[in-house]
Amino acid sequence: MAFRITTAVGAFALMTLSAISAFSAGDPLAAVPAARTDTTTIIVGSANFPESQLLATIYAKALAAKGIAVDTKLNIGSREVYIPALLDGSIDLLPEYAGAALSYLDKNAAAHSPEDVAKALKAALPTGISILTPSTAQDSDSVAVTRATAEKYKLKTIADLAPVASEFVLGGSPEWKARKEGVIGLKEIYGLEFRSFKALDVGGPLTLSALVNGQIQAANLFSTDPAMAANDLIALEDTKNLFPAQNIVPVIATQKLSDVVAKTLNAVSAALTTHDLVLMNGRLANHESFDVVAGDWLAQYQLN
């Protein structure tokens, strides 16, 4: 079994430079042929936050257990970077969040249910890219506030922010400012204009700390983050369906698909639950390694 974990550093940045340039020119689906000679190894990529890196590690270890040659390029960056990397052949497989991927590929997508989002995402994928069976596990975006803020302003839904948004600083990842399922959607769908937006990280410690310490009053955090309960934070109800279903789904270069690959990844999706993600994210927060947490989960479901 060939299995090796690496990080996405300078060499990988050079590999994806042409793809990033294509995206910057305005076409997120523009693909540039990659100078890659290895056609057998499946390179598994991930976004730049721990849950994505963990899921990529689970995929890689599950495939390696079936004798498939795999390599990983973790912590690549945001969707604006890793989708071009998938398209230019720098990576072959990654864990995606169905609703966010759909919104990226189709700016006018209106699907919200898991079934509709999966169907629309399959149709929106560029030639040469496939999705496998989505998991029931979801990691959904949320607009979160502290319990003290929720009680002071009687906040239960995102819409309840309307009278006070102009007094609030909203925090989230830099990309969230320009995304439909972010600041743009909060304005277009809910009519919310915040006092300012503070660019932090992808639902990580910077965003959490800023919210808990009062530097921001609302934040983009995620449903599988154990810090939500640990810090008594409130996810405001999304009554107008700004955030589509975010089922986790393997996205793969079609040429790398085989019966064994599909069966292996679909078995991972079938076993994975939202509760599993909460527990595993909690272990990562306690500084356990991706390797150990992924290996334990695979052993739990006899997938290794």
Side-chain angles (χ1 to χ4, degrees):
M1 295 184 295
F3 179 55
R4 175 167 64 91
I5 292 183
T6 60
T7 55
V9 290
F12 181 74
L14 292 175
M15 292 170 64
T16 59
L17 181 59
S18 60
I20 297 169
S21 298
F23 171 78
S24 299
D27 182 4
L29 304 184
V32 179
R36 178 177 159 194
T37 57
D38 177 9
T39 59
T40 57
T41 299
I42 294 179
I43 299 179
V44 188
S46 82
N48 57 341
F49 56 93
E51 183 178 278
S52 179
Q53 295 172 66
L54 172 67
L55 289 166
T57 304
I58 287 173
Y59 287 177
K61 291 174 82 69
L63 291 172
K66 299 300 182 182
I68 297 167
V70 295
D71 193 0
T72 63
K73 294 190 181 294
L74 305 183
N75 199 30
I76 293 170
S78 68
R79 190 166 287 106
E80 287 78 2
V81 178
Y82 65 69
I83 290 294
L86 179 66
L87 291 169
D88 77 6
S90 301
I91 60 174
D92 304 306
L93 167 66
L94 56 87
E96 254 295 15
Y97 299 86
L102 174 61
S103 180
Y104 173 84
L105 294 169
D106 180 0
K107 304 301 183 186
N108 298 313
H112 286 279
S113 72
E115 297 77 15
D116 289 346
V117 168
K119 182 178 179 180
L121 176 57
K122 185 175 181 179
L125 289 171
T127 302
I129 305 299
S130 301
I131 61 169
L132 296 176
T133 304
S135 173
T136 59
Q138 292 196 50
D139 186 353
S140 302
D141 283 89
S142 74
V143 176
V145 297
T146 64
R147 182 171 297 279
T149 296
E151 292 177 350
K152 179 178 180 179
Y153 296 103
K154 297 181 172 56
L155 304 176
K156 292 183 179 180
T157 72
I158 296 175
D160 292 339
L161 286 166
V164 294
S166 61
E167 304 171 23
F168 282 13
V169 177
L170 174 67
S173 69
E175 298 81 17
W176 215 58
K177 186 175 182 180
R179 286 182 177 170
K180 179 181 176 181
E181 70 280 5
V183 175
I184 291 175
L186 288 170
K187 181 176 180 180
E188 291 180 353
I189 295 174
Y190 282 99
L192 301 178
E193 292 197 52
F194 290 86
R195 187 176 76 188
S196 63
F197 177 81
K198 189 174 182 64
L200 297 162
D201 55 9
V202 187
L206 294 179
T207 303
L208 177 64
S209 176
L211 182 61
V212 171
N213 294 327
Q215 296 167 300
I216 60 176
Q217 288 71 50
N220 175 218
L221 293 174
F222 302 101
S223 61
T224 60
D225 188 346
M228 290 283 288
N231 290 275
D232 200 19
L233 302 178
I234 305 297
L236 300 178
E237 185 181 356
D238 180 19
T239 54
K240 297 185 179 181
N241 297 314
L242 168 61
F243 304 124
Q246 299 293 357
N247 300 81
I248 293 161
V249 59
V251 177
I252 189 169
T254 306
Q255 66 176 356
K256 292 300 178 74
L257 265 179
S258 68
D259 289 343
V260 174
V261 169
K263 183 177 180 180
T264 300
L265 295 174
N266 284 338
V268 169
S269 291
L272 188 66
T273 69
T274 301
H275 183 62
D276 288 341
L277 287 176
V278 173
L279 294 178
M280 288 191 289
N281 284 335
R283 293 180 63 182
L284 295 179
N286 287 326
H287 309 293
E288 294 191 55
S289 72
F290 299 124
D291 244 356
V292 170
V293 176
D296 287 350
W297 183 86
L298 289 165
Q300 177 185 348
Y301 290 99
Q302 299 181 325
L303 294 172
N304 59 350

